């Protein structure tokens, strides 16, 4: 029994040393060309889902009415459009340079309209590690966090006034 346990420890140690050598000797390409590494999306997606946890079920304390969607549009233009693009336009040139590339959150992109609003709120509030998505906790109020989350959740069915606000060049 002792030999078996010793063998497991030695085997695990050898695997760790082999992995370390593989990574430190250039066996793992860390450049952004060529897309994600094998299992990178799977592992990252599972980690994000686990981090969000029960927060995905959070409901907005404010309504998705025109006033809150208009406020969300202004917040989006000031904080998000530079990376995630603008309404009816392709993703921004700056956003295309980031890795992983930020999703187009407004039409023509699909964005996060099929995500629960609690998920979007969690991401905007906390950011996503190892990506360019920052945390807006402390930079936006909780009401503003919900306004932008509601805007993005409803991006495929925005009223004309909100669409016009998103298209306007001036940030009011």
């Amino acid at each position: 029994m002792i030999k078996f346990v010793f063998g497991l420890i030695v085997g695990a140690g050898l695997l760790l040393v082999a992995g370390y050598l593989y990574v430190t000797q250039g066996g793992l390409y860390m450049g952004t060309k060529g897309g994600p590494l094998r299992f990178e999306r799977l592992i990252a997606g599972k980690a994000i889902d686990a981090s969000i946890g029960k927060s995905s079920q959070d409901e907005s304390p404010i309504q998705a009415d025109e006033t809150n969607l208009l406020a969300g549009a202004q917040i989006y233009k000031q904080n998000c459009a530079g990376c995630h693009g603008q309404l009816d336009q392709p993703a921004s040139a700056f956003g295309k340079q980031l890795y992983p590339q930020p999703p187009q959150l407004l039409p023509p992109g699909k964005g996060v309209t099929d995500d629960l609003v609690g998920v979007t709120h969690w991401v905007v509030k906390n950011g996503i590690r190892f990506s360019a998505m920052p945390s807006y906790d402390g930079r936006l109020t909780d009401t503003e966090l919900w306004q932008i989350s509601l805007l993005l959740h409803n991006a495929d069915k925005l009223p004309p006034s909100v669409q016009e606000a998103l298209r306007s060049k001036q940030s009011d």
Side-chain angles (χ1 to χ4, degrees):
M1 180 67 167
I2 292 178
K3 287 183 181 182
F4 177 74
V5 172
F6 181 72
L8 281 176
I9 293 171
V10 169
L14 288 174
L15 283 174
L16 288 172
V17 168
Y20 175 79
L21 291 173
Y22 178 75
V23 169
T24 60
Q25 300 305 309
L28 182 64
Y29 179 69
M30 293 300 291
T32 59
K33 290 188 179 180
L37 300 170
R38 267 185 256 161
F39 301 113
E40 185 176 353
R41 279 184 204 224
L42 174 69
I43 292 169
K46 296 289 184 190
I48 291 169
D49 290 345
S51 295
I52 295 171
K54 292 182 182 181
S55 294
S56 67
Q57 302 303 316
D58 290 352
E59 294 289 330
S60 175
I62 62 174
Q63 297 297 312
D65 59 21
E66 190 171 7
T67 301
N68 284 319
L69 293 174
L70 282 167
Q74 294 306 317
I75 297 164
Y76 182 89
K77 287 168 44 177
Q78 293 169 2
N79 296 281
C80 312
C83 295
H84 292 285
Q86 298 191 26
L87 184 64
D88 298 330
Q89 295 180 13
S92 72
F94 177 74
K96 288 180 181 179
Q97 296 175 7
L98 299 174
Y99 184 86
Q101 195 171 35
Q104 179 85 22
L105 294 177
L106 298 174
K110 179 176 156 252
V112 294
T113 56
D114 58 347
D115 288 356
L116 297 170
V117 73
V119 170
T120 303
H121 179 264
W122 188 95
V123 170
V124 174
K125 182 176 183 176
N126 297 289
I128 299 177
R129 187 179 298 272
F130 304 121
S131 79
M133 180 63 198
S135 165
Y136 283 93
D137 190 24
R139 294 197 283 181
L140 297 176
T141 67
D142 200 50
T143 298
E144 292 171 325
L145 292 169
W146 281 112
Q147 288 169 331
I148 188 69
S149 300
L150 288 170
L151 174 85
L152 297 175
H153 181 69
N154 294 288
D156 57 346
K157 51 187 173 288
L158 295 172
S161 61
V162 178
Q163 291 180 35
E164 182 58 36
L166 285 166
R167 287 186 186 106
S168 72
K169 299 288 182 202
Q170 184 178 335
S171 232
D172 299 330

